[in-house]
PDB file of all heavy atoms in Angstrom:
ATOM      1  N   LEU P 568      17.934  -1.812  15.665  1.00 96.00           N
ATOM      2  CA  LEU P 568      16.633  -1.509  16.255  1.00 96.00           C
ATOM      3  C   LEU P 568      15.499  -2.100  15.420  1.00 96.00           C
ATOM      4  O   LEU P 568      14.548  -2.691  15.947  1.00 96.00           O
ATOM      5  CB  LEU P 568      16.469   0.009  16.382  1.00 96.00           C
ATOM      6  CG  LEU P 568      15.151   0.523  16.973  1.00 96.00           C
ATOM      7  CD1 LEU P 568      15.001   0.074  18.417  1.00 96.00           C
ATOM      8  CD2 LEU P 568      15.089   2.045  16.898  1.00 96.00           C
ATOM      9  N   LEU P 569      15.587  -1.942  14.098  1.00 96.00           N
ATOM     10  CA  LEU P 569      14.535  -2.455  13.219  1.00 96.00           C
ATOM     11  C   LEU P 569      14.551  -3.977  13.135  1.00 96.00           C
ATOM     12  O   LEU P 569      13.503  -4.596  12.915  1.00 96.00           O
ATOM     13  CB  LEU P 569      14.696  -1.856  11.819  1.00 96.00           C
ATOM     14  CG  LEU P 569      14.454  -0.347  11.717  1.00 96.00           C
ATOM     15  CD1 LEU P 569      14.865   0.175  10.349  1.00 96.00           C
ATOM     16  CD2 LEU P 569      12.990  -0.027  11.991  1.00 96.00           C
ATOM     17  N   GLU P 570      15.723  -4.583  13.298  1.00 96.00           N
ATOM     18  CA  GLU P 570      15.824  -6.043  13.229  1.00 96.00           C
ATOM     19  C   GLU P 570      15.398  -6.707  14.526  1.00 96.00           C
ATOM     20  O   GLU P 570      14.701  -7.727  14.511  1.00 96.00           O
ATOM     21  CB  GLU P 570      17.253  -6.451  12.886  1.00 96.00           C
ATOM     22  CG  GLU P 570      17.659  -6.103  11.448  1.00 96.00           C
ATOM     23  CD  GLU P 570      19.141  -6.260  11.196  1.00 96.00           C
ATOM     24  OE1 GLU P 570      19.900  -6.392  12.182  1.00 96.00           O
ATOM     25  OE2 GLU P 570      19.547  -6.242  10.017  1.00 96.00           O
ATOM     26  N   GLU P 571      15.775  -6.122  15.658  1.00 96.00           N
ATOM     27  CA  GLU P 571      15.454  -6.736  16.940  1.00 96.00           C
ATOM     28  C   GLU P 571      14.036  -6.422  17.401  1.00 96.00           C
ATOM     29  O   GLU P 571      13.430  -7.210  18.136  1.00 96.00           O
ATOM     30  CB  GLU P 571      16.465  -6.290  17.997  1.00 96.00           C
ATOM     31  CG  GLU P 571      17.883  -6.776  17.717  1.00 96.00           C
ATOM     32  CD  GLU P 571      18.854  -6.360  18.809  1.00 96.00           C
ATOM     33  OE1 GLU P 571      18.403  -6.237  19.974  1.00 96.00           O
ATOM     34  OE2 GLU P 571      20.046  -6.157  18.518  1.00 96.00           O
ATOM     35  N   LEU P 572      13.504  -5.277  16.995  1.00 95.00           N
ATOM     36  CA  LEU P 572      12.129  -4.893  17.351  1.00 95.00           C
ATOM     37  C   LEU P 572      11.355  -4.626  16.061  1.00 95.00           C
ATOM     38  O   LEU P 572      11.049  -3.480  15.731  1.00 95.00           O
ATOM     39  CB  LEU P 572      12.130  -3.647  18.242  1.00 95.00           C
ATOM     40  CG  LEU P 572      12.887  -3.730  19.565  1.00 95.00           C
ATOM     41  CD1 LEU P 572      12.822  -2.408  20.295  1.00 95.00           C
ATOM     42  CD2 LEU P 572      12.336  -4.854  20.436  1.00 95.00           C
ATOM     43  N   PRO P 573      11.042  -5.665  15.303  1.00 94.00           N
ATOM     44  CA  PRO P 573      10.373  -5.440  14.015  1.00 94.00           C
ATOM     45  C   PRO P 573       9.017  -4.761  14.189  1.00 94.00           C
ATOM     46  O   PRO P 573       8.218  -5.172  15.038  1.00 94.00           O
ATOM     47  CB  PRO P 573      10.243  -6.850  13.438  1.00 94.00           C
ATOM     48  CG  PRO P 573      10.342  -7.767  14.607  1.00 94.00           C
ATOM     49  CD  PRO P 573      11.233  -7.098  15.592  1.00 94.00           C
ATOM     50  N   TYR P 574       8.788  -3.752  13.378  1.00 95.00           N
ATOM     51  CA  TYR P 574       7.527  -3.006  13.418  1.00 95.00           C
ATOM     52  C   TYR P 574       6.366  -3.895  12.998  1.00 95.00           C
ATOM     53  O   TYR P 574       5.280  -3.824  13.559  1.00 95.00           O
ATOM     54  CB  TYR P 574       7.656  -1.798  12.494  1.00 95.00           C
ATOM     55  CG  TYR P 574       6.547  -0.786  12.563  1.00 95.00           C
ATOM     56  CD1 TYR P 574       6.549   0.216  13.530  1.00 95.00           C
ATOM     57  CD2 TYR P 574       5.511  -0.804  11.636  1.00 95.00           C
ATOM     58  CE1 TYR P 574       5.544   1.167  13.579  1.00 95.00           C
ATOM     59  CE2 TYR P 574       4.502   0.138  11.668  1.00 95.00           C
ATOM     60  CZ  TYR P 574       4.517   1.120  12.643  1.00 95.00           C
ATOM     61  OH  TYR P 574       3.518   2.059  12.685  1.00 95.00           O
ATOM     62  N   SER P 575       6.570  -4.710  11.977  1.00 95.00           N
ATOM     63  CA  SER P 575       5.591  -5.698  11.531  1.00 95.00           C
ATOM     64  C   SER P 575       6.320  -6.742  10.701  1.00 95.00           C
ATOM     65  O   SER P 575       7.493  -6.573  10.354  1.00 95.00           O
ATOM     66  CB  SER P 575       4.469  -5.049  10.717  1.00 95.00           C
ATOM     67  OG  SER P 575       4.870  -4.838   9.375  1.00 95.00           O
ATOM     68  N   ASP P 576       5.603  -7.812  10.346  1.00 94.00           N
ATOM     69  CA  ASP P 576       6.243  -8.876   9.571  1.00 94.00           C
ATOM     70  C   ASP P 576       6.330  -8.533   8.090  1.00 94.00           C
ATOM     71  O   ASP P 576       6.870  -9.331   7.305  1.00 94.00           O
ATOM     72  CB  ASP P 576       5.486 -10.193   9.757  1.00 94.00           C
ATOM     73  CG  ASP P 576       4.033 -10.093   9.310  1.00 94.00           C
ATOM     74  OD1 ASP P 576       3.554  -8.973   9.034  1.00 94.00           O
ATOM     75  OD2 ASP P 576       3.366 -11.143   9.245  1.00 94.00           O
ATOM     76  N   ARG P 577       5.823  -7.357   7.666  1.00 96.00           N
ATOM     77  CA  ARG P 577       5.883  -6.975   6.257  1.00 96.00           C
ATOM     78  C   ARG P 577       6.877  -5.844   5.998  1.00 96.00           C
ATOM     79  O   ARG P 577       6.993  -5.378   4.867  1.00 96.00           O
ATOM     80  CB  ARG P 577       4.492  -6.581   5.749  1.00 96.00           C
ATOM     81  CG  ARG P 577       3.496  -7.729   5.863  1.00 96.00           C
ATOM     82  CD  ARG P 577       2.361  -7.609   4.910  1.00 96.00           C
ATOM     83  NE  ARG P 577       1.449  -8.747   5.058  1.00 96.00           N
ATOM     84  CZ  ARG P 577       0.750  -9.282   4.068  1.00 96.00           C
ATOM     85  NH1 ARG P 577       0.883  -8.803   2.843  1.00 96.00           N
ATOM     86  NH2 ARG P 577      -0.069 -10.297   4.270  1.00 96.00           N
ATOM     87  N   ILE P 578       7.563  -5.397   7.020  1.00 96.00           N
ATOM     88  CA  ILE P 578       8.606  -4.394   6.836  1.00 96.00           C
ATOM     89  C   ILE P 578       9.799  -5.036   6.142  1.00 96.00           C
ATOM     90  O   ILE P 578      10.190  -6.161   6.460  1.00 96.00           O
ATOM     91  CB  ILE P 578       9.030  -3.817   8.202  1.00 96.00           C
ATOM     92  CG1 ILE P 578       7.894  -2.989   8.808  1.00 96.00           C
ATOM     93  CG2 ILE P 578      10.278  -2.957   8.064  1.00 96.00           C
ATOM     94  CD1 ILE P 578       7.574  -1.725   8.053  1.00 96.00           C
ATOM     95  N   THR P 579      10.386  -4.330   5.192  1.00 96.00           N
ATOM     96  CA  THR P 579      11.611  -4.806   4.538  1.00 96.00           C
ATOM     97  C   THR P 579      12.727  -3.812   4.811  1.00 96.00           C
ATOM     98  O   THR P 579      12.500  -2.601   4.857  1.00 96.00           O
ATOM     99  CB  THR P 579      11.411  -4.980   3.028  1.00 96.00           C
ATOM    100  OG1 THR P 579      10.897  -3.767   2.464  1.00 96.00           O
ATOM    101  CG2 THR P 579      10.432  -6.103   2.740  1.00 96.00           C
ATOM    102  N   LEU P 580      13.932  -4.327   4.995  1.00 97.00           N
ATOM    103  CA  LEU P 580      15.087  -3.521   5.388  1.00 97.00           C
ATOM    104  C   LEU P 580      16.235  -3.790   4.435  1.00 97.00           C
ATOM    105  O   LEU P 580      16.489  -4.943   4.061  1.00 97.00           O
ATOM    106  CB  LEU P 580      15.487  -3.864   6.822  1.00 97.00           C
ATOM    107  CG  LEU P 580      16.720  -3.184   7.419  1.00 97.00           C
ATOM    108  CD1 LEU P 580      16.513  -1.668   7.502  1.00 97.00           C
ATOM    109  CD2 LEU P 580      17.015  -3.753   8.803  1.00 97.00           C
ATOM    110  N   THR P 581      16.927  -2.730   4.029  1.00 96.00           N
ATOM    111  CA  THR P 581      18.058  -2.890   3.113  1.00 96.00           C
ATOM    112  C   THR P 581      19.085  -3.860   3.680  1.00 96.00           C
ATOM    113  O   THR P 581      19.424  -3.806   4.868  1.00 96.00           O
ATOM    114  CB  THR P 581      18.725  -1.534   2.845  1.00 96.00           C
ATOM    115  OG1 THR P 581      19.891  -1.738   2.036  1.00 96.00           O
ATOM    116  CG2 THR P 581      19.127  -0.849   4.139  1.00 96.00           C
TER     117      THR P 581
END
Side-chain angles (χ1 to χ4, degrees):
L568 179 64
L569 293 171
E570 290 169 347
E571 295 182 30
L572 301 178
Y574 189 84
S575 81
D576 60 350
R577 299 204 179 212
I578 292 293
T579 53
L580 177 63
T581 175

